[in-house]
Amino acid sequence: MKIATVPSKNRKQLIIVVTLLLGIPLVLFASLEVAQWVTRASVEPEPTNVLFTNVGTQEFTVSWVTDTTSTGSVIPIVNGQDGAPLIDTRGSRKRKTHYVTQRALEPNTNYSFTILSNEERYGSDGLETFSFKTPTVVSTAPTANPVSGSVSGVNNEDGMVFISTMDKDVYAVSSVVSKGGTWNIDLSSLRKISDGSYIIVRENDRLVIVAVVAPDKGAFLQGTFGELFDSNGVLKEVYPLNVGDIDDPYSKLFVSEGSTPFISTPVTPSLETSDAETSDSSDAYQPVEQSRRFRIVTHVEWIDMTTVEGLADVGGIREESVRIVNAMDTGFTVIWLSRQKELGYIKYGTSKDSLTNEASDERDGITSKREYYVHYIPVTRLQPDMEYYFEIYSGKEVYTNQGQKYIAKTFPRLTTPPPFNSVAGKVSGIPDHGEAVIIMHIQDVDNVGSLGRSADIASLVDQRSNWILSISDSRTEDGLEYFEYTSEDSVNFDVVTTASTETHKEQAQGIGNRDIEVLLEGKSVLGVESSEIGLLSNYGIWGYSTGIHLQATSTGSSGQNYQVTYESGTQIPKTGLSDNIIYIVILSILLVVTPFTIYIIHMTKKRRKGTMIKNL
């Protein structure tokens, strides 16, 4: 009797099929790896766009970019010998943007160096070294003029920001981009290339801002100082720096002048307005009612769990929230909280009986006003060392401090400001409306330097919850001198928003070199408290709920509690197989493997049947 077996020819075919099924993916993978290796090998980490920025009599910054990620450092040449390498200010890891600062230099002195990129040495235009001469000392230095902002699209701190005037004979000023996407630059460091003299930036001076993350990726802005930055030197949100593909971003440092600021990167389009809205030439703000359409699912029973009688329409401001911050020799800022979103501004003057000047929220435009919970009103162009009176207009009410008017006093003008230093970070847990102001002050701890605490400085938190503050602007509470702090002192942060928070404290040592995160508690400070509701065991999608009681509590004068209850049931919600990712993976594998297995079994049976027929 003969035993039915698979012929050797068919066995070879099966082996070939299996080999192809396993070999083709392996060959494709190996080809991809080889292609990537060849590509990497063909791209040299040659430094391009080498720039000298932040030029001073005792320091300057060297920056460059490479087509591929690489290590980068600067080797000073001293008396013909290599000095100790200077690494990137962000550390020694590989990146496409490179940023090295040389310090402790002498004025009016030539310095030579080479750039080391992936262990390869590079010089200037075929030479073995680069060379730079520090400027001479000038008799007077301008007052610090810090500006700050944020960049979207920067990964792993691999980004730089440059600011220059529209004139080509100026050394630009620059900064690296932090982990949170923020940057800060002191415009008072701008100098002319010709003689090293300082450039003083004024309201109508035209500037260009360039963000660089690679030789062909970046963003830029152009406009006057007053158009681009608010009164605190923060880049306005209407002019975002969004990184994208751009031909030679460095060429944008010196562009032809235009009549208005423009943005080279995509901007989120605004909502279209009707003809009736655009034809209204009135400067007064008119709230626009927008109609919105919703699809109602009728087979689900909807329960209003948020509206409670007695809690709606709570207007007015919390007068205890009114604070005066950012006091300086030319202005101050007023902040407060309102219980509802409403328009806010102040009227001020040097006399209680003559409040003829008006200041609006920093986020408002010239002809358009918006409603806020958190109000932030900067007052600028004031006289030093003078008292100003003001009253608050919030919604339909006027707040006059019980008829006495609010009082703010500008500080006297000081000379020789301390070196520019800033603090940046993020606020976590901001309510959905996204409105918050961060306030900082320094508290003396070791009785060395300035005693007591500094005056409050503040900034709006941007749409990405980031913020930047210039700690070098801190003054003593009386404003008579800059606050001198030590590494042992405490830097305290408070957040003004509709959720409460405890004071966040940081040690002053190295505070400018790390991102600060302030966490909110989530409790409302506007009279209504809310708490997070845990997950339910039954969501009532195809059935009833399990009878969880929801309670909303008013903290107002009535002190009443309100309770909403809904019925319980026993049905289990039918949420489907796709709720579990493991099931999805298993199902995907079965869908792929099952047809192939059926095909193999079918072919095997067919071959066996054919073999048995031949044997018979």
Side-chain angles (χ1 to χ4, degrees):
M1 179 178 178
K2 294 183 179 181
I3 299 175
T5 59
V6 178
S8 60
K9 181 179 179 180
N10 293 341
R11 199 161 46 240
K12 290 179 180 180
Q13 291 177 348
L14 182 61
I15 293 173
I16 292 173
V17 171
V18 173
T19 302
L20 290 175
L21 290 175
L22 296 176
I24 290 176
L26 291 176
V27 170
L28 292 176
F29 177 75
S31 300
L32 180 61
E33 288 296 311
V34 170
Q36 290 180 345
W37 180 82
V38 171
T39 303
R40 287 194 297 266
S42 64
V43 179
E44 295 182 359
E46 180 178 359
T48 59
N49 295 303
V50 179
L51 283 186
F52 298 101
T53 60
N54 301 331
V55 173
T57 56
Q58 295 181 313
E59 67 178 14
F60 63 85
T61 297
V62 184
S63 64
W64 67 93
V65 292
T66 51
D67 288 321
T68 183
T69 56
S70 60
T71 58
S73 59
V74 165
I75 301 178
I77 307 299
V78 183
N79 298 325
Q81 301 294 322
D82 289 356
L86 304 173
I87 66 172
D88 195 294
T89 57
R90 298 161 292 183
S92 58
R93 71 175 182 82
K94 292 185 177 182
R95 50 176 59 88
K96 289 186 177 181
T97 62
H98 307 271
Y99 194 88
V100 179
T101 299
Q102 297 194 54
R103 295 187 172 90
L105 308 179
E106 294 294 330
N108 196 29
T109 305
N110 277 305
Y111 289 90
S112 298
F113 62 90
T114 60
I115 290 177
L116 196 64
S117 183
N118 271 3
E119 306 306 321
E120 292 288 335
R121 298 173 71 106
Y122 294 89
S124 173
D125 296 329
L127 302 177
E128 293 184 357
T129 63
F130 292 88
S131 180
F132 185 78
K133 185 177 182 179
T134 54
T136 57
V137 177
V138 295
S139 57
T140 58
T143 304
N145 187 10
V147 295
S148 58
S150 60
V151 184
S152 62
V154 178
N155 299 319
N156 301 320
E157 300 178 281
D158 198 358
M160 305 179 294
V161 174
F162 303 90
I163 300 181
S164 178
T165 64
M166 305 301 292
D167 202 340
K168 293 184 178 181
D169 65 351
V170 176
Y171 288 116
V173 286
S174 64
S175 169
V176 294
V177 180
S178 70
K179 290 181 180 179
T182 58
W183 54 267
N184 52 83
I185 293 174
D186 186 5
L187 295 183
S188 67
S189 297
L190 286 167
R191 288 176 181 258
K192 287 186 177 180
I193 297 175
S194 57
D195 57 7
S197 60
Y198 286 105
I199 297 293
I200 299 177
V201 178
R202 294 181 173 84
E203 190 81 4
N204 294 320
D205 288 342
R206 296 190 63 80
L207 302 174
V208 59
I209 307 173
V210 176
V212 177
V213 299
D216 57 352
K217 286 186 179 295
F220 80 99
L221 302 173
Q222 174 186 331
T224 66
F225 175 82
E227 290 168 331
L228 295 172
F229 297 98
D230 61 29
S231 60
N232 291 319
V234 179
L235 185 65
K236 295 179 180 178
E237 293 183 359
V238 293
Y239 300 123
L241 278 171
N242 300 325
V243 169
D245 294 332
I246 182 173
D247 293 334
D248 189 12
Y250 284 91
S251 65
K252 309 302 180 182
L253 281 171
F254 311 113
V255 294
S256 60
E257 292 190 16
S259 58
T260 57
F262 66 93
I263 303 171
S264 67
T265 48
V267 182
T268 302
S270 59
L271 293 174
E272 294 183 1
T273 56
S274 65
D275 294 338
E277 292 171 345
T278 56
S279 63
D280 186 4
S281 60
S282 174
D283 290 340
Y285 172 81
Q286 297 294 334
V288 179
E289 293 186 2
Q290 298 182 354
S291 60
R292 302 179 63 186
R293 300 178 64 184
F294 299 87
R295 182 175 65 89
I296 303 299
V297 181
T298 57
H299 64 270
V300 177
E301 182 180 2
W302 292 90
I303 302 173
D304 187 354
M305 298 186 295
T306 57
T307 303
V308 182
E309 184 179 357
L311 297 183
D313 196 25
V314 182
I317 75 170
R318 299 179 68 241
E319 291 205 60
E320 67 273 15
S321 70
V322 177
R323 296 180 67 169
I324 299 170
V325 297
N326 295 337
M328 50 186 176
D329 53 354
T330 58
F332 57 87
T333 301
V334 182
I335 61 176
W336 73 87
L337 280 174
S338 58
R339 299 183 187 277
Q340 287 184 329
K341 274 195 170 186
E342 54 194 24
L343 299 177
Y345 61 95
I346 69 169
K347 288 187 176 181
Y348 66 95
T350 55
S351 170
K352 289 184 179 181
D353 301 323
S354 181
L355 306 181
T356 56
N357 301 298
E358 183 175 313
S360 300
D361 197 287
E362 186 169 279
R363 295 157 290 184
D364 288 339
I366 298 175
T367 60
S368 62
K369 309 295 182 183
R370 293 168 55 190
E371 298 178 339
Y372 306 100
Y373 288 111
V374 183
H375 302 266
Y376 187 89
I377 317 293
V379 186
T380 59
R381 300 179 181 179
L382 304 182
Q383 296 299 314
D385 201 17
M386 181 173 291
E387 282 190 345
Y388 287 85
Y389 300 90
F390 66 91
E391 55 190 15
I392 295 173
Y393 290 73
S394 191
K396 299 178 180 179
E397 302 296 330
V398 180
Y399 300 87
T400 62
N401 194 25
Q402 298 179 349
Q404 300 301 311
K405 311 299 181 186
Y406 296 95
I407 301 175
K409 185 177 181 181
T410 54
F411 288 157
R413 181 165 293 148
L414 301 179
T415 57
T416 62
F420 175 69
N421 190 18
S422 65
V423 183
K426 186 172 186 175
V427 178
S428 299
I430 295 179
D432 291 340
H433 53 68
E435 300 174 25
V437 171
I438 189 160
I439 303 176
M440 183 194 78
H441 74 269
I442 306 171
Q443 182 68 52
D444 176 54
V445 174
D446 54 7
N447 294 323
V448 178
S450 300
L451 303 180
R453 55 160 286 170
S454 68
D456 290 333
I457 58 176
S459 174
L460 279 167
V461 178
D462 67 19
Q463 292 178 337
R464 296 192 299 169
S465 302
N466 296 323
W467 54 268
I468 302 177
L469 292 167
S470 175
I471 195 172
S472 57
D473 290 338
S474 297
R475 294 201 190 189
T476 55
E477 285 193 284
D478 56 15
L480 299 179
E481 59 183 2
Y482 289 104
F483 195 90
E484 183 181 348
Y485 61 92
T486 68
S487 60
E488 299 299 321
D489 289 344
S490 175
V491 183
N492 300 340
F493 300 90
D494 293 295
V495 178
V496 177
T497 185
T498 55
S500 62
T501 179
E502 298 292 334
T503 298
H504 180 89
K505 298 183 179 181
E506 293 275 343
Q507 190 174 18
Q509 183 175 10
I511 193 168
N513 299 323
R514 61 182 186 271
D515 288 336
I516 310 300
E517 183 174 9
V518 181
L519 181 63
L520 302 186
E521 293 181 350
K523 292 184 178 180
S524 171
V525 295
L526 295 182
V528 179
E529 292 188 357
S530 62
S531 59
E532 187 176 299
I533 300 174
L535 297 177
L536 306 179
S537 59
N538 184 333
Y539 289 87
I541 299 175
W542 283 2
Y544 295 100
S545 67
T546 55
I548 303 299
H549 296 272
L550 302 179
Q551 180 170 295
T553 303
S554 169
T555 58
S557 58
S558 63
Q560 296 179 355
N561 293 338
Y562 302 88
Q563 182 168 289
V564 179
T565 306
Y566 55 97
E567 295 181 358
S568 62
T570 58
Q571 296 186 26
I572 303 297
K574 302 173 184 179
T575 55
L577 182 66
S578 61
D579 287 348
N580 196 323
I581 189 63
I582 296 177
Y583 293 157
I584 296 177
V585 173
I586 294 174
L587 181 60
S588 301
I589 295 173
L590 289 176
L591 289 174
V592 174
V593 173
T594 301
F596 183 74
T597 304
I598 294 173
Y599 173 77
I600 294 296
I601 294 173
H602 173 72
M603 293 302 296
T604 302
K605 288 183 177 180
K606 185 177 180 180
R607 291 191 188 104
R608 287 179 178 176
K609 182 177 180 180
T611 302
M612 293 178 68
I613 291 174
K614 289 180 181 179
N615 291 336
L616 294 174

